Amino acid sequence: MRTRLRSGSGIPMLLLAMLLFLPASSLAEPLTLRHAVELALKHANGIAISAADEQHASAAYRELRNSYVPQLTAGAGIGWTDGFPLSLEGAAPSLFNVTAQSALLNPALGNFIHAAQSDAAVSAFRAKDQRNQVIQDVVLSYAELVKWEHRLTQLHEAESAEEKMAAAVAQRVQEGIDSAVEDTKARLSVARVHLRFTEASGAAQVLRERLSKLTGLPALSMQVDPDSVPVPPAVNEDADLSSKTTEANPAVQAAVEHARAQYLREKGEKRSLWPSMDFAAQYANLATYNNYQKFYQPHSFQPNNVTIGVALHFPFFNYAQHSRIQEAEADALKARKQADAARNQASEETMRLQRSVTQMQAARDVAELEYEIAQKNVEAVQTRMESSSATLHDLDDARTQASERLISLQDVSFELERSQVALLRATGDLEAWALGTK
């Protein structure tokens, strides 16, 4: 016997089915730019690599600094002796021994420690530069995805309008009003819009995948929020941003700090020819079967022995060290020139970006006016069609021109945003702008 469902019980099941078959993007909350940047800073591989390099440099600095802390080694040199007790691996045969050694007075080591400290600072600056690179990649990918999605919406409407136009032209051809050439032109317009729609769809898919790799979010459920992109600060064409760049740009700071590290290594290599002093101590428990009592005064032998003192080093003939000094001098000179080149390059790039932003702002103003004129032309053609002084082809041409002007405006606006983001990175303001902490 078949059971009839009540009409009220079918409504929840229908709603449940609709929710199950809705696209994931429609159920997910929009991904804001700030959230995307925060996720990328936690997930990006470049950040993890930079953190590992920073950790390595910090450990290298601590390794040198701990040279002043005595290193204790415990062990034994057990062996049988026939005749005079010879050493085993540089130490007297013993049942148990403990050695301690550390640097006490070493001018060269002090410079090497400061150089390692500068290397740690270089790693920190490079990590910050990598962090800015990740932020820039996320911001530009996000902004470009917003552009393509907006274009997809516009092209979807344009494609629908062109299909209606093609159908109307085909009807006019059948009625003998238009020629077959007009039908071909109409179908060509539909094909062109479809081509652009395919291009925009592919570009948006690639950008979604890139943002997915950067943030760790699934690409299919990613939905951007155009309103979450903050407005870049205004750029004064006459402002001196070059000096700010040389002070705030982490790439320039890393180059300068690297030059300082190489200079300190040069000083360290030169001071390696200076006298140095090390602390040394040793305890050993000696055995009688190693014949110590046969070669030393029998009554003076004792099993427990301790030696504490300092080891003095006076290098006065070391051609190999002189060659290392020359290598360090060459490395220091190279690092100084690289730092100067980094400053000059950053200053020139900042000036170029500053001028580019000004130029792109002017180009955007022109594109906005051209699009405004094209929109008014569409309205004028529609008004003329009401008075039968314009044809469908005139309206199609006006709409096509307006679509072209809109695409140009979108492209110019994105290029302006690209230059603004690059300028923010050059001046060290990118992270504060993207995360809204300024």
Side-chain angles (χ1 to χ4, degrees):
M1 181 177 181
R2 185 181 301 175
T3 303
R4 179 178 295 178
L5 293 174
R6 292 177 298 174
S7 60
S9 63
I11 296 177
M13 296 296 294
L14 179 61
L15 292 176
L16 178 61
M18 291 175 63
L19 290 175
L20 290 176
F21 288 99
L22 277 175
S25 60
S26 63
L27 297 176
E29 294 184 0
L31 175 66
T32 63
L33 176 61
R34 178 174 180 174
H35 191 203
V37 171
E38 292 172 345
L39 289 175
L41 292 177
K42 297 177 181 178
H43 183 266
N45 292 329
I47 300 295
I49 294 173
S50 298
D53 291 338
E54 189 174 359
Q55 182 180 359
H56 180 274
S58 179
Y61 160 69
R62 293 194 302 271
E63 177 186 358
L64 287 175
R65 186 190 61 185
N66 291 335
S67 297
Y68 287 104
V69 179
Q71 302 176 15
L72 299 177
T73 303
I78 302 175
W80 176 76
T81 300
D82 182 17
F84 185 83
L86 303 175
S87 65
L88 294 175
E89 294 186 348
S94 60
L95 297 175
F96 176 75
N97 63 72
V98 177
T99 60
Q101 186 176 3
S102 67
L104 191 62
L105 181 61
N106 194 324
L109 181 59
N111 288 118
F112 290 142
I113 290 175
H114 291 307
Q117 191 174 14
S118 294
D119 284 337
V122 170
S123 298
F125 286 131
R126 288 176 177 172
K128 184 178 180 180
D129 188 57
Q130 179 62 40
R131 184 182 178 91
N132 288 339
Q133 179 64 51
V134 171
I135 295 175
Q136 184 178 6
D137 290 342
V138 173
V139 170
L140 292 180
S141 299
Y142 193 97
E144 191 173 2
L145 180 58
V146 169
K147 182 193 79 169
W148 287 115
E149 287 197 344
H150 183 261
R151 185 172 299 182
L152 280 171
T153 302
Q154 180 261 334
L155 289 174
H156 180 73
E157 297 174 356
E159 187 174 18
S160 177
E162 290 294 339
E163 288 175 352
K164 292 179 181 179
M165 180 69 68
V169 171
Q171 182 66 29
R172 290 168 63 89
V173 171
Q174 290 181 358
E175 295 174 357
I177 301 175
D178 288 338
S179 64
V181 176
E182 300 298 335
D183 179 61
T184 305
K185 290 181 179 179
R187 288 187 288 111
L188 177 60
S189 298
V190 174
R192 284 173 176 169
V193 174
H194 181 69
L195 174 61
R196 287 177 178 168
F197 185 87
T198 305
E199 177 190 6
S201 178
Q205 184 177 358
V206 171
L207 289 170
R208 285 179 182 276
E209 190 66 25
R210 185 175 186 183
L211 282 174
S212 174
K213 295 294 188 299
L214 289 170
T215 61
L217 297 176
L220 294 179
S221 63
M222 192 175 299
Q223 183 180 356
V224 295
D225 181 10
D227 296 331
S228 67
V229 181
V231 179
V235 177
N236 186 0
E237 185 178 1
D238 299 327
D240 183 16
L241 299 180
S242 300
S243 58
K244 181 180 179 180
T245 298
T246 56
E247 296 175 359
N249 193 308
V252 176
Q253 292 174 325
V256 172
E257 197 65 27
H258 176 67
R260 181 174 182 272
Q262 294 300 96
Y263 166 73
L264 290 171
R265 285 194 175 87
E266 177 190 354
K267 291 184 63 177
E269 294 294 348
K270 290 179 179 179
R271 290 187 174 184
S272 296
L273 297 175
W274 291 17
S276 61
M277 181 186 302
D278 294 337
F279 166 78
Q282 183 176 9
Y283 162 78
N285 183 265
L286 306 179
T288 56
Y289 58 76
N290 289 116
N291 302 332
Y292 288 106
Q293 67 279 7
K294 292 182 180 180
F295 295 92
Y296 300 96
Q297 295 182 8
H299 299 290
S300 301
F301 174 78
Q302 59 182 23
N304 297 307
N305 301 269
V306 177
T307 301
I308 300 177
V310 295
L312 300 175
H313 307 280
F314 297 93
F316 62 92
F317 189 79
N318 191 337
Y319 276 106
Q321 183 60 34
H322 284 286
S323 297
R324 284 192 289 269
I325 291 174
Q326 294 174 355
E327 293 176 6
E329 289 175 344
D331 291 338
L333 177 61
K334 176 182 177 181
R336 287 196 300 270
K337 296 303 180 181
Q338 288 176 337
D340 293 339
R343 287 194 193 95
N344 295 335
Q345 182 179 0
S347 178
E348 293 174 3
E349 181 67 13
T350 301
M351 184 178 296
R352 185 190 67 80
L353 289 172
Q354 192 174 358
R355 297 296 181 269
S356 176
V357 168
T358 305
Q359 180 181 354
M360 296 307 299
Q361 286 175 340
R364 183 192 59 183
D365 294 341
V366 172
E368 286 179 347
L369 292 174
E370 290 177 345
Y371 175 63
E372 183 179 350
I373 293 174
Q375 284 289 92
K376 291 181 178 180
N377 187 32
V378 172
E379 296 174 1
V381 172
Q382 290 176 342
T383 303
R384 288 166 53 199
M385 286 187 64
E386 294 177 358
S387 60
S388 302
S389 60
T391 63
L392 283 176
H393 303 295
D394 296 331
L395 179 61
D396 183 42
D397 293 339
R399 285 177 176 175
T400 301
Q401 186 177 11
S403 179
E404 294 285 346
R405 294 292 182 264
L406 178 59
I407 290 176
S408 298
L409 175 59
Q410 291 173 345
D411 291 338
V412 170
S413 298
F414 176 70
E415 291 303 322
L416 170 61
E417 193 166 5
R418 186 198 298 273
S419 299
Q420 290 172 327
V421 169
L423 183 60
L424 286 171
R425 180 185 176 184
T427 57
D429 299 325
L430 178 60
E431 183 172 356
W433 171 80
L435 297 178
T437 57
K438 186 176 182 180

